């Protein structure tokens, strides 16, 4: 028999977190046209894409995934209060699969943000988006692995090791939506689920493994796009590998048209210091270069055979070296 005198604990709920974050997560509908062959002529065929986005500023800047709006002619944004707005593309960054849109409207809800979220493995996270156009939907999971937020690792496609990995379910339409913590603070922009090949070499989704671009990186990309129309990454022009038992980076290849080659850096050189700072890891070194303003000079200290050399390298912009 139920004893009404026993005090009942309130059930655990994330409703406050959702109330804080969800109004700033929008539905995105984009329309484009594909020219498909039809007998002896090409017939334009309308193509629509479904996704989600996150209102980042009161001025109307929205973060979403690049693949959601790729090649779109028209982009519509629908807020949770029912407002339908036309959106303009400010810029995109295919390396991170992010894009920035702009809407002109007053009284926009802005998602809660903190400068550097302390996202840890085991944290509870909530994914907010519009899967299969069902309307705004919330899924819940835990962080399985945390990604680094450096620009350098996002210069190749599907580098999942650098994303936030979680088991909060993402489906078609969730791309570009918000990943928030249990307080409703943005920690990432939802991107994709893990895919692999089956025995017949067909692509298939893997259950329980989903990815989100870390907030710190997404915000940095957005700020660059808003300020410059693109993401500016420094470029050195080397490939390298770390040593197991000693500091430094072994240069394994050099782009002959890159700034490293122009400064005299060769394959088999060992980079020991940059601007007087000892090399801790290849990742941190590449991030330092990627985040260096093109045109800036960095002093590299190298070991070549038994010699210690110094050289000035003028960093260029990624993508500008032919």
């Amino acid at each position: 028999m139920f004893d009404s005198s026993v005090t009942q604990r309130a059930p655990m709920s994330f409703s406050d977190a959702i109330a804080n974050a969800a109004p700033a997560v929008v539905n995105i509908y984009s329309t484009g046209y594909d020219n498909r062959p039809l007998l002896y002529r090409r017939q334009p065929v309308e193509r629509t894409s479904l996704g989600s986005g996150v209102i980042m500023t009161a001025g109307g800047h929205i973060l979403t995934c690049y693949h959601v709006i790729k090649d779109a002619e028209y982009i519509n944004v629908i807020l949770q209060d029912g407002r339908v707005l036309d959106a303009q593309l400010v810029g995109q960054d295919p390396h991170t699969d992010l894009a920035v849109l702009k809407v002109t409207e007053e009284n926009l809800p802005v998602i809660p943000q903190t400068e550097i979220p302390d996202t840890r493995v085991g944290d509870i996270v909530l994914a907010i988006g519009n899967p299969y156009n069902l309307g705004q939907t919330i899924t819940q999971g835990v962080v399985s692995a945390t990604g680094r937020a450096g620009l350098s690792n996002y210069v190749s496609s599907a580098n999942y090791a650098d994303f936030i990995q979680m088991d909060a379910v993402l489906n078609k339409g969730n791309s570009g939506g918000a990943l928030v913590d249990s307080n409703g603070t943005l920690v990432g922009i939802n991107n994709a689920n893990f895919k692999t090949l089956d025995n017949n070499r067909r692509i298939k989704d893997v259950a329980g493994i989903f990815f989100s671009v870390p907030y710190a990186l997404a915000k940095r990309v957005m700020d660059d796009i808003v300020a410059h129309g693109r993401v500016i990454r420094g470029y050195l022009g080397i490939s390298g590998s770390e040593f197991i038992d000693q500091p430094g980076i072994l240069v394994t290849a050099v782009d002959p048209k890159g700034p490293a080659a122009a400064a005299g850096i060769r394959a088999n050189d060992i980079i020991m210091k940059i601007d007087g700072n000892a090399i801790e890891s290849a990742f941190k070194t590449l991030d330092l270069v990627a985040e260096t303003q093109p045109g800036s000079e960095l002093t590299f200290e190298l070991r070549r055979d038994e010699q210690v050399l110094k050289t000035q390298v003028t960093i260029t912009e990624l993508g500008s070296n032919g």
Side-chain angles (χ1 to χ4, degrees), residues 58-268:
H61 291 105
I62 296 173
L63 264 175
T64 187
C65 286
Y66 170 59
H67 73 261
V68 169
I69 53 81
K70 183 180 180 181
D71 298 326
E73 298 283 342
Y74 308 101
I75 305 171
N76 292 118
V77 168
I78 300 182
L79 277 66
Q80 300 311 308
D81 60 13
R83 283 181 282 178
V84 180
L85 306 174
D86 292 330
Q88 301 298 318
L89 177 63
V90 178
Q92 66 277 326
D93 182 45
H95 293 308
T96 53
D97 192 28
L98 291 173
V100 178
L101 308 179
K102 179 72 164 61
V103 295
T104 302
E105 182 74 357
E106 297 181 350
N107 300 318
L108 291 171
V110 177
I111 198 158
Q113 299 164 58
T114 186
E115 186 174 351
I116 304 178
D118 182 22
T119 306
R120 301 170 298 174
V121 173
D123 284 356
I124 292 174
V125 285
L126 309 165
I128 311 174
N130 179 29
Y132 297 115
N133 206 26
L134 291 172
Q136 192 171 85
T137 302
I138 316 298
T139 58
Q140 175 258 323
V142 297
V143 173
S144 309
T146 54
R148 297 169 54 260
L151 290 176
S152 66
N153 280 13
Y154 290 85
V155 296
S156 62
S157 60
N159 196 345
Y160 291 127
D162 303 310
F163 283 57
I164 295 172
Q165 179 186 327
M166 75 283 187
D167 62 355
V169 175
L170 304 180
N171 287 302
K172 182 178 175 59
N174 275 111
S175 294
L179 187 72
V180 302
D181 63 18
S182 57
N183 292 321
T185 301
L186 185 67
V187 298
I189 301 297
N190 293 326
N191 183 273
N193 61 316
F194 185 66
K195 300 180 187 298
T196 188
L197 298 176
D198 63 16
N199 293 333
N200 295 316
R201 306 295 294 174
R202 293 174 300 191
I203 297 175
K204 69 174 184 178
D205 295 339
V206 177
I209 303 178
F210 304 92
F211 297 97
S212 181
V213 180
Y215 168 80
L217 177 70
K219 178 65 163 54
R220 194 179 315 170
V221 166
M222 183 187 78
D223 290 345
D224 253 15
I225 289 174
V226 171
H228 308 291
R230 68 188 191 281
V231 178
I232 298 175
R233 292 178 173 86
Y235 179 68
L236 176 60
I238 67 165
S239 298
S241 61
E242 296 179 3
F243 297 100
I244 295 176
D245 56 353
Q246 67 182 72
I249 296 174
L250 174 66
V251 178
T252 56
V254 179
D255 176 0
K257 296 182 179 180
I265 297 176
R266 307 174 187 170
N268 297 317

